[in-house]
Amino acid sequence: MDGMVQLAPRFPVGLQSLLPTRGVFQSPLGELLTCPFCLELWFAGAFVAGFTLASSAARAAALVGTITAGADVLQYGFAGLQVAWKRISEEES
């Protein structure tokens, strides 16, 4: 994104925002495309439009996202159990 946006200094570190620079990504459009808080609204709007216009395709996309999120949760849980098991076995040694 170098050259398209710049970091906004007015926000605290956790709430940093990207400001559009001169060029294609100028004011309203650039702010909407680079805003980290707006991304969820874009996805929500796309899903609402998808459920309205093509419900089976939107349901399939939602199912893929749900399954992926569930797999991620299981993977993080498994990794956490491996770390815990390693700590327990090191303490016993």
Side-chain angles (χ1 to χ4, degrees):
M1 278 198 196
D2 191 26
M4 289 192 289
V5 293
Q6 64 185 6
L7 199 56
R10 67 178 185 256
F11 297 111
V13 175
L15 298 174
Q16 294 276 331
S17 179
L18 298 175
L19 296 176
T21 58
R22 295 179 191 258
V24 177
F25 293 102
Q26 284 183 342
S27 216
L29 179 62
E31 185 66 28
L32 287 174
L33 293 175
T34 59
C35 172
F37 300 108
C38 299
L39 187 59
E40 64 192 36
L41 295 176
W42 284 106
F43 278 113
F47 269 115
V48 168
F51 281 125
T52 303
L53 302 173
S55 62
S56 61
R59 284 192 178 112
L63 181 61
V64 168
T66 302
I67 291 171
T68 303
D72 287 345
V73 167
L74 291 175
Q75 182 65 35
Y76 283 121
F78 181 70
L81 287 174
Q82 284 181 322
V83 169
W85 182 260
K86 185 176 179 181
R87 286 183 187 163
I88 290 171
S89 60
E90 287 176 353
E91 290 175 1
E92 290 177 355
S93 300

